[in-house]
Amino acid sequence: DPLPPFTLPPPQSPLTPPRGERQFAQYRASHSGHRGLFRKMAAADTRPWAEQFKLSNMMAQEYENGMTGAQAVSKMKDLLGAKGCWPPDRESVPEEWEEALLLRFFIGFKKNPEAGSEAFSDMLAWRKDNGINEIRQKLLNGLEPSEFPRYETVRRFYPLLKCGKDKHGCPILITLTGLIDPAKLVKAVTLEEMRLYIIYEMESKFIKLCQLTAETGIFYRALEVHDLKGLGMHHLATGPVGLLRKVVKEVSANYVEISDKVFILNCPFASVVRTVLRQVVPARSQHKLAVHGALAEYEQVLGERAAREEYHECLFGGDMPEGLNAEEGDSMDKWPKVTVPARDKKVVEHALTAGQTVLWNVCPEALDVGCSLVFNSKSGKSTRVFEGEERIASLQRGSFQAEEDGKLVLALDNSFSYLKQKVVLYDFEILNVQQLSTQSSEDLSAAAGP
């Protein structure tokens, strides 16, 4: 019997042709619309790095969609102008950052000026709604990372390191991903405190890159290193991880195309991970990712990108950064606990005298629980201090000043759960009034949270 005719399986993506010269030739012939892209993929850019990423060259470069960078930026301005978003306020988009910032959004959104301008518009609205320009002004005035909100607590469970520069002058930013502890993080800080800290970190990084680009005329992005050493089962805690991912996703959507290269170190089963990433990461971004196993595999690679002293020594087996091995300052292990059985409620009371200010903390140990906090004065007046719109699953913190004697009543509701009991940690700390009077209202707000 004759063999059946040779047929190709349908390609998974126009950017990932099948192996083999014959198959590739047929694939290329059937996807003639991508010939220009194949030429660009085949012809590696051999120009020096500074020439490749010189802003004027990137503006003159023709991209896969047939538009030059300058044409794309011009079209984005027209689209933004039609929506009333251009020209923007100069606190959000300084004139000297304008072209590079629009180019970041064009490249970051698949070189699609429509999608890029839409995201740019959303970014401007996000900055206005969240007071990001006030944060930028603090950073431009010299605010140090150690002064970021809840710095010592957050970095303990979400360690980010700012190091030196690579051989091109790109800032090196290290995330000790294996030391991130989502479950402890959501117990140590509120979601809003975590969100605010990440905003400060991202805005600080973004300012540095924009300033470098404006000063040098080179499209600067950061070299990011993610060290997975210490990765464990606690990273699979879906609730805390989901909350952290939600915060990071919201913030990072407004800081686009700021990474030049991403090294993933100490990755278990690195070869398997590389194969998976080739399937799930868009082809346009694969050149940015480099996955490596243990030190012997990545030491030389890091050395080719920057001198060893430009990194932190912990990547090469040295000591961890100071403070990461310290005990958590909030001493949550010492907080009282209350167990709320399934289909039940519990109440905790704390007496206050007139004039006292209390810093209150409530945090489920695992899973969610209904929560409300009310102050009942002796005169019969009831004041709602806190009542979550939904059940809480992470730390909630706030402050309250009693105008008269009474009781602070914490009500925990687990009546919706038919099977699982909930353990809730809580703490009521009476603030020192004399010390409190020396603090600004802004400092108190940052300490107390929403």
Side-chain angles (χ1 to χ4, degrees):
D1 293 333
L3 292 172
F6 176 82
T7 57
L8 285 172
Q12 293 182 344
S13 163
L15 299 181
T16 53
R19 296 179 182 177
E21 294 182 6
R22 179 184 172 190
Q23 291 95 327
F24 181 76
Q26 294 182 27
Y27 178 85
R28 183 171 181 174
S30 63
H31 291 79
S32 58
H34 296 285
R35 284 175 183 167
L37 177 56
F38 282 121
R39 284 195 297 270
K40 288 182 173 62
M41 291 170 62
D45 196 333
T46 58
R47 293 175 298 169
W49 182 89
E51 283 297 311
Q52 290 183 46
F53 296 102
K54 190 174 181 179
L55 187 57
S56 59
N57 291 343
M58 295 184 72
M59 293 293 284
Q61 178 180 337
E62 182 179 331
Y63 293 90
E64 295 93 317
N65 61 1
M67 301 180 74
T68 65
Q71 290 171 337
V73 166
S74 178
K75 183 170 183 179
M76 289 176 68
K77 288 181 181 179
D78 291 341
L79 293 168
L80 289 165
K83 297 180 64 175
C85 298
W86 197 269
D89 69 275
R90 289 307 175 187
E91 287 187 333
S92 294
V93 187
E95 195 168 355
E96 61 273 21
W97 296 5
E98 184 179 295
E99 287 189 346
L101 188 52
L102 286 167
L103 193 62
R104 288 183 194 276
F105 276 76
F106 169 64
I107 296 173
F109 283 86
K110 303 181 181 180
K111 303 180 180 68
N112 183 327
E114 287 81 10
S117 61
E118 186 69 27
F120 196 93
S121 172
D122 292 342
M123 177 271 291
L124 293 175
W126 178 80
R127 294 186 69 88
K128 182 179 180 181
D129 294 342
N130 292 276
I132 308 301
N133 288 333
E134 287 78 4
I135 294 174
R136 174 176 289 178
Q137 197 55 52
K138 292 179 185 178
L139 294 168
L140 291 173
N141 289 338
L143 186 74
E144 294 294 328
S146 59
E147 300 174 283
F148 291 177
R150 304 285 289 166
Y151 170 77
E152 288 297 337
T153 301
V154 176
R155 75 183 290 268
R156 171 73 179 86
F157 303 116
Y158 194 91
L160 306 174
L161 311 179
K162 299 178 184 66
C163 298
K165 296 181 179 180
D166 71 3
K167 63 182 181 181
H168 303 307
C170 297
I172 299 175
L173 307 171
I174 300 173
T175 302
L176 301 181
T177 309
L179 296 185
I180 294 176
D181 195 326
K184 290 184 178 178
L185 182 60
V186 298
K187 292 179 181 178
V189 295
T190 67
L191 282 179
E192 182 57 30
E193 289 170 339
M194 186 196 316
R195 175 178 177 272
L196 192 59
Y197 176 84
I198 293 174
I199 288 174
Y200 271 79
E201 285 284 358
M202 294 294 286
E203 185 70 15
S204 174
K205 179 200 303 188
F206 189 66
I207 289 173
K208 180 179 290 187
L209 295 173
C210 289
Q211 287 177 333
L212 278 170
T213 298
E215 291 167 5
T216 63
I218 296 174
F219 191 80
Y220 269 101
R221 290 171 289 191
L223 169 62
E224 293 193 12
V225 179
H226 292 264
D227 186 3
L228 305 190
K229 189 175 182 179
L231 202 66
M233 293 299 295
H234 61 285
H235 289 92
L236 302 179
T238 55
V241 170
L243 293 171
L244 183 58
R245 185 185 295 119
K246 181 180 178 182
V247 172
V248 172
K249 182 179 179 181
E250 178 228 332
V251 176
S252 60
N254 296 283
Y255 298 96
V256 178
E257 200 62 24
I258 58 177
S259 298
D260 174 51
K261 188 78 175 180
V262 179
F263 288 125
I264 301 176
L265 312 181
N266 290 303
C267 180
F269 310 107
S271 59
V272 176
V273 173
R274 289 190 199 103
T275 302
V276 172
L277 288 177
R278 279 196 292 269
Q279 302 300 319
V280 300
V281 176
R284 68 180 185 278
S285 301
Q286 288 185 9
H287 69 280
K288 289 186 177 184
L289 290 173
V291 180
H292 300 286
L295 175 61
E297 184 179 338
Y298 67 75
E299 185 172 15
Q300 181 179 349
V301 176
L302 293 187
E304 292 171 354
R305 188 67 190 244
R308 179 164 173 159
E309 57 268 21
E310 299 293 330
Y311 301 99
H312 194 282
E313 195 58 32
C314 67
L315 297 181
F316 305 98
D319 293 336
M320 297 301 297
E322 185 179 354
L324 292 191
N325 294 319
E327 292 296 323
E328 166 56 24
D330 283 344
S331 302
M332 289 187 66
D333 291 341
K334 299 178 182 178
W335 288 5
K337 295 181 180 180
V338 58
T339 301
V340 190
R343 293 176 285 181
D344 201 358
K345 300 179 181 180
K346 288 286 185 179
V347 171
V348 177
E349 297 183 347
H350 186 81
L352 294 177
T353 58
Q356 280 188 325
T357 298
V358 61
L359 176 64
W360 58 268
N361 301 270
V362 181
C363 184
E365 198 168 66
L367 306 176
D368 56 354
V369 68
C371 175
S372 67
L373 190 63
V374 176
F375 178 72
N376 296 325
S377 67
K378 285 189 174 180
S379 66
K381 181 181 177 182
S382 182
T383 304
R384 181 180 297 177
V385 178
F386 171 81
E387 183 171 7
E389 295 181 0
E390 301 177 355
R391 299 189 290 265
I392 65 170
S394 60
L395 175 67
Q396 305 296 319
R397 174 188 285 122
S399 63
F400 175 76
Q401 185 173 31
E403 296 181 356
E404 53 183 309
D405 293 355
K407 287 185 178 180
L408 199 60
V409 180
L410 172 64
L412 302 169
D413 184 358
N414 194 33
S415 58
F416 59 89
S417 178
Y418 285 89
L419 298 174
K420 296 182 178 179
Q421 67 178 22
K422 308 294 170 62
V423 178
V424 182
L425 295 88
Y426 67 93
D427 182 58
F428 300 113
E429 178 186 354
I430 304 300
L431 298 181
N432 186 313
V433 177
Q434 186 176 13
Q435 178 186 9
L436 186 62
S437 65
T438 64
Q439 291 182 309
S440 68
S441 59
E442 182 181 350
D443 292 337
L444 178 58
S445 175

